[in-house]
């Protein structure tokens, strides 16, 4: 549970294993209703973020020659590689808050690495938990 007293740094700092995955939560909140049935299985979502690493430093991209990233190569081959992705805010906490809220920093209010999470901030995992 996220409270207004939760340190933004401690919460967002623990989310280094996410990938750039976000959508407009304002449209999603309250718009999706998932009926639970005995036959329906819950789905899992795994997000992976490779932090502090250049966009082209993976061996499946062919440069540089000395890099070996077999697990990332497999994810790109068998999963997805987003070649046109970019970060709108290159600081850790604002970028991760954008991933988790689907909003730009000027909307979610996490504008640097030293501010608390603004009260009322909604992260998409909260919506997934409710569903």
């Amino acid at each position: 549970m996220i409270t207004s007293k939760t340190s933004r740094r401690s919460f967002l700092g623990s989310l280094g294993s996410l990938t750039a995955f976000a959508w407009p939560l304002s449209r999603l909140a309250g718009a999706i209703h998932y009926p639970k049935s005995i036959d329906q299985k819950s789905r899992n979502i795994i997000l992976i973020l490779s932090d502090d690493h250049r966009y082209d430093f993976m061996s499946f991209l062919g440069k540089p020659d000395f890099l070996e990233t077999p697990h990332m190569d497999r994810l790109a081959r068998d999963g997805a590689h987003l070649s046109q992705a970019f970060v709108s805010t290159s600081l850790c906490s604002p970028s991760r808050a954008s991933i988790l809220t689907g909003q730009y920093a000027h909307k979610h209010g996490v504008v640097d690495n030293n501010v608390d999470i603004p009260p009322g901030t909604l992260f998409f995992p909260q919506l997934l938990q409710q569903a």
Side-chain angles (χ1 to χ4, degrees), residues 54-106:
R54 272 181 50 163
Y55 75 95
D56 62 344
F57 266 41
M58 295 168 278
S59 57
F60 72 90
L61 292 175
K63 58 182 177 183
D65 295 337
F66 62 86
L67 279 181
E68 295 181 14
T69 57
H71 300 295
M72 293 178 78
D73 297 350
R74 182 175 175 213
L75 286 171
R77 182 184 65 244
D78 299 339
H81 171 242
L82 306 176
S83 62
Q84 299 297 316
F86 69 95
V87 230
S88 60
T89 309
S90 58
L91 293 172
C92 296
S93 296
S95 179
R96 291 178 181 160
S98 291
I99 291 167
L100 292 171
T101 63
Q103 298 175 332
Y104 291 108
H106 73 279

Side-chain angles (χ1 to χ4, degrees), residues 44-62:
N44 292 318
I45 298 172
I46 299 173
L47 305 173
I48 301 169
L49 170 69
S50 178
D51 201 10
D52 292 333
H53 128 117
R54 272 181 50 163
Y55 75 95
D56 62 344
F57 266 41
M58 295 168 278
S59 57
F60 72 90
L61 292 175

Side-chain angles (χ1 to χ4, degrees), residues 17-60:
S17 61
L18 294 177
T19 190
F21 177 76
W23 61 81
L25 292 176
S26 59
R27 294 183 188 163
L28 182 63
I32 298 180
H33 302 282
Y34 296 97
K36 297 271 182 176
S37 72
I38 295 172
D39 298 334
Q40 184 180 17
K41 292 179 77 174
S42 296
R43 306 271 183 199
N44 292 318
I45 298 172
I46 299 173
L47 305 173
I48 301 169
L49 170 69
S50 178
D51 201 10
D52 292 333
H53 128 117
R54 272 181 50 163
Y55 75 95
D56 62 344
F57 266 41
M58 295 168 278
S59 57
F60 72 90

